[in-house]
Every structure is written in structure tokens, then in C-alpha cells.
Amino acid sequence: MKRHEPFTLSEPLSPADHVLGPRHAPVTVVEYGDFECPNCRQAVSAVKLLLSHFENRVCFAYRHFPLEGVHPNAELAAEAAACAGGQGRFWEMHDLLFENQGHLKLAHLLGYAKRLQLDMARFDAELSDHVYLQRVREHLQSGRDSGVRGTPTFFVNGRIQDVSFGLHLLLDAVRTALH
């Protein structure tokens, strides 16, 4: 286990991370999220607003933190998103999963993959064989190592950002980091 300050990002961005915005942006925002979490669903629109408001100045990464004890379908949904990511469609699947948050069982996930016109044989095989489960678990562990206890949890330039009093605090943190 790496030694680091509490509540700082334990794992920097890697080429395996799914990002929106330029990787070289002055501000990096990392979210640890759960596709079954209602607060994460609400955060999607805040993140889109953040990316449009600070266009080309923010790199946003989503990491999986499925809370299986509370959300029984979250881990498989995370795997499905990772499978779609393997075919270059992570963000489209990300959005579909949040839009259909109450419908994340296997049959639904296969339906979303079909809707995205993914290679179904590959998607089904990768999901059945849990090809991306290790990656999901690595995200979980890096989240725990970084002090993540719930979802969504955001980091701005490597430091945890408390949004429990509103997602506007995330925008404020990015604005501060840019100045």
C-alpha cells in the first residue's frame, strides 16, 4: 500500500482511466461513483455543467466505487461500463446506466449494449467472464486508500472535495484551482 496524506488521491490518472476533457488540463477532477447511487445520478448533470463551463480547462475521470452492500447491481453495471469502454463507448454506457438507474440487471445491461451497437459476442463474453472485474476492484481499493467512504466522492487536483452540502462546492473548488 502506498503512503500518502489522508484524503488525497492515492492513484494518479493512468491511460486506463476514462476521461472527458484534455488530459493536460490545469485541473483534474476524479469522481468515485456507483451506477445505482441516486446522488451519483444527480452529480452527472453537475459534472456536465462543470465541463461546459470550464471547457478545455478540466480533465474529468470516472472511477468505479460500487457499494455492493447497498446497491446489489452496481458491480455488474460497473463491469458493463468497462466492457463498453473496451469498445470505445464508456461514456455512452455511463450515461445510459445513470438514465436507467432502476434497471441494472443483466438483461438490461445486454439491452443497453445492443442499443449502443456494441459487438455483442465480445460484450457478452467479457461480461460473463468478468474480464474487467479486477479493474473495478482496483478502483474500489484506490478509492478506499484515498479516503472514499461513500459516493459520489470527488477529488480536485488530487485533494478530496466535500460536496455533502451541495455540488456547487465542486464548481467552486475548480474555480479556485484555476486561479
Side-chain angles (χ1 to χ4, degrees):
M1 187 163 101
K2 297 179 181 175
R3 307 269 306 147
H4 65 280
E5 294 179 49
F7 309 114
T8 59
L9 196 61
S10 69
E11 290 292 327
L13 281 189
S14 80
D17 280 303
H18 298 285
V19 301
L20 292 171
R23 285 185 180 266
H24 62 275
V27 177
T28 299
V29 176
V30 176
E31 175 187 0
Y32 283 88
D34 173 322
F35 288 113
E36 258 185 306
C37 167
N39 293 331
C40 292
R41 182 179 179 172
Q42 288 179 331
V44 171
S45 58
V47 167
K48 288 183 181 187
L49 176 66
L50 175 96
L51 290 169
S52 69
H53 187 75
F54 299 109
E55 190 174 359
N56 295 321
R57 295 184 288 166
V58 173
C59 176
F60 173 75
Y62 181 90
R63 290 184 176 167
H64 305 290
F65 201 82
L67 300 169
E68 282 190 281
V70 185
H71 302 131
N73 301 305
E75 187 175 78
L76 191 61
E79 288 184 72
C83 291
Q87 296 187 42
R89 305 295 298 274
F90 175 83
W91 292 107
E92 293 92 334
M93 182 64 86
H94 167 278
D95 291 351
L96 272 175
L97 295 173
F98 278 121
E99 288 165 17
N100 298 283
Q101 192 171 59
H103 306 282
L104 298 178
K105 296 200 181 305
L106 178 60
H108 300 118
L109 301 175
L110 293 170
Y112 305 143
K114 280 182 188 157
R115 191 183 314 176
L116 294 175
Q117 300 179 337
L118 298 180
D119 174 337
M120 289 307 296
R122 177 180 169 189
F123 181 87
D124 190 33
E126 289 179 348
L127 195 58
S128 297
D129 293 342
H130 301 285
V131 168
Y132 292 98
L133 181 58
Q134 182 60 35
R135 183 74 181 137
V136 170
R137 290 187 175 155
E138 288 169 3
H139 281 185
L140 260 172
Q141 189 58 52
S142 75
R144 287 187 192 110
D145 292 347
S146 301
V148 174
R149 290 187 177 82
T151 57
T153 297
F154 293 93
F155 291 81
V156 177
N157 283 351
R159 298 195 60 79
I160 201 163
Q161 177 58 51
D162 183 7
V163 295
S164 56
F165 295 106
L167 287 164
H168 68 280
L169 296 171
L170 181 61
L171 275 76
D172 292 346
V174 169
R175 192 174 292 111
T176 299
L178 285 168
H179 293 101

